[in-house]
Amino acid sequence: MSLDTGEVVRRLEEGMAGGVLSFPLTSFHADGSLDPDGFRTHVAAQIATAPGAVFPACGTGEFFSLDEDEYRTVVSVAVQESAGRVPVVAGIGYGWAQAVRFARIAEEAGADALLVLPHYLVAAPQEGLVRQVAEIATRTRLPLIAYQRGQVTFGVEAFRQLADIPTVIGLKDGHSDLDRLQRLTLAAPEGFLFFNGAATAEIQARAYATVGVPAYSSAVHAFAPEIANAFFGALKAGDEGTVEKLLRDFYVPLVELRDRVPGYAVSLVKAAARLRGRPVGPVRAPLTDPSAADLADLTSLLATGLDLVGAAL
């Protein structure tokens, strides 16, 4: 059963201060069907590395490809494996009516909160963006974190209205417009949570921290928690030498590889997890698995990154 909103905020604040936010991959068999046992193994391994929170069935977890029964299984397994050790924030999305269907499933499964992914397809005015979240909020008792990315961008006035919704506890940002984000953090009520949700968020972690957003999601944590945790620890300790070495020799080359093909922000993460023996399987369409040449480059880069932190492939 979900904790009350204040307790969820407290636990997320505590987790964000102590570790990266984990976005586990959803495991599929070779034929594309859901692999619950593989996912259980994967998410248990993620939780064992002490993330600040676990976000199942979000972008990295291919939420867009899951039907409702699969979603129920994924969220339930994450809740079971967390066993209350870390907060579980499940992804929901599409239009608000469909998002509510997923919200109810997550609530029944025992999730602590929900991440509201950008709505489907259409552009919308600021009033509509706020109403989208408000419609969901009136139909679930779980706390909500809004995600501005793609066609969703909140201005200051709309953000104030968003933050006035009692169960909206945070905002995840994927636009990396630090001017706009600074204005939002200054307009936020006390205790409101902000998350750096940029792709390969470590690249911009220092910049986000300067506008009051030190917490970030880490896709790298899904395949190399040793690297993700080493970077987080160095950043927190002010070890600029280690931060810059990891950025220069691992994270920047990873982003350059990621940018070769649309969808590699997930496909490469899943391929890297497979290289390390994680039972995550292939991606589902419309994503595609990396080419042989890109996989060879990924293998070399992964070995380099692990060597930087004293770990092995």
Side-chain angles (χ1 to χ4, degrees), residues 68-308:
E68 291 180 16
D69 288 339
E70 292 170 331
Y71 177 85
R72 179 179 288 103
T73 297
V74 166
V75 177
S76 296
V77 168
V79 170
Q80 291 161 15
E81 291 302 318
S82 73
R85 289 176 289 170
V86 295
V88 175
V89 183
I92 60 172
Y94 307 116
W96 66 260
Q98 187 65 20
V100 168
R101 292 173 66 94
F102 284 100
R104 288 173 178 159
I105 293 170
E107 187 172 329
E108 291 167 2
D112 297 301
L114 302 168
L115 178 66
V116 183
L117 301 169
H119 65 270
Y120 174 70
L121 191 62
V122 297
Q126 293 285 287
E127 178 185 1
L129 297 181
V130 175
R131 184 179 172 190
Q132 159 82 353
V133 179
E135 294 284 2
I136 298 168
T138 62
R139 293 167 173 84
T140 178
R141 62 191 178 89
L142 293 183
L144 305 178
I145 299 167
Y147 191 2
Q148 62 170 12
R149 188 169 185 157
Q151 71 271 36
V152 177
T153 303
F154 293 101
V156 171
E157 184 51 41
F159 170 75
R160 288 194 176 104
Q161 295 172 28
L162 181 76
D164 281 342
I165 300 171
T167 56
V168 174
I169 63 172
L171 179 74
K172 183 181 181 187
D173 175 74
H175 285 299
S176 304
D177 181 342
L178 298 184
D179 179 293
R180 180 187 295 271
L181 187 58
Q182 179 70 90
R183 298 176 194 215
L184 300 187
T185 61
L186 292 173
E190 185 177 356
F192 196 84
L193 305 177
F194 286 91
F195 307 83
N196 168 3
T200 317
E202 286 90 343
I203 290 286
Q204 299 187 64
R206 289 187 294 186
Y208 268 81
T210 65
V211 295
V213 186
Y216 61 89
S217 56
S218 175
V220 170
H221 188 269
F223 65 86
E226 304 97 325
I227 299 173
N229 288 340
F231 183 89
F232 180 87
L235 189 65
K236 188 174 181 180
D239 181 356
E240 290 295 315
T242 298
V243 167
E244 293 195 358
K245 185 168 186 59
L246 286 170
L247 287 173
R248 183 182 303 109
D249 296 342
F250 176 73
Y251 282 101
V252 168
L254 179 65
V255 168
E256 291 171 349
L257 181 56
R258 180 201 74 198
D259 288 347
R260 290 181 188 176
V261 177
Y264 265 18
V266 176
S267 300
L268 280 181
V269 172
K270 218 164 195 187
R274 291 195 301 272
L275 287 172
R276 303 205 69 199
R278 310 294 196 259
V280 297
V283 292
R284 278 181 170 174
L287 300 178
T288 58
D289 289 310
S291 67
D294 290 344
L295 186 60
D297 289 344
L298 177 63
T299 303
S300 176
L301 178 58
L302 179 56
T304 296
L306 290 169
D307 184 63
L308 288 171

Side-chain angles (χ1 to χ4, degrees), residues 33-47:
S33 61
L34 184 68
D35 178 6
D37 292 337
F39 180 70
R40 185 178 296 278
T41 298
H42 171 60
V43 77
Q46 294 297 104
I47 292 170

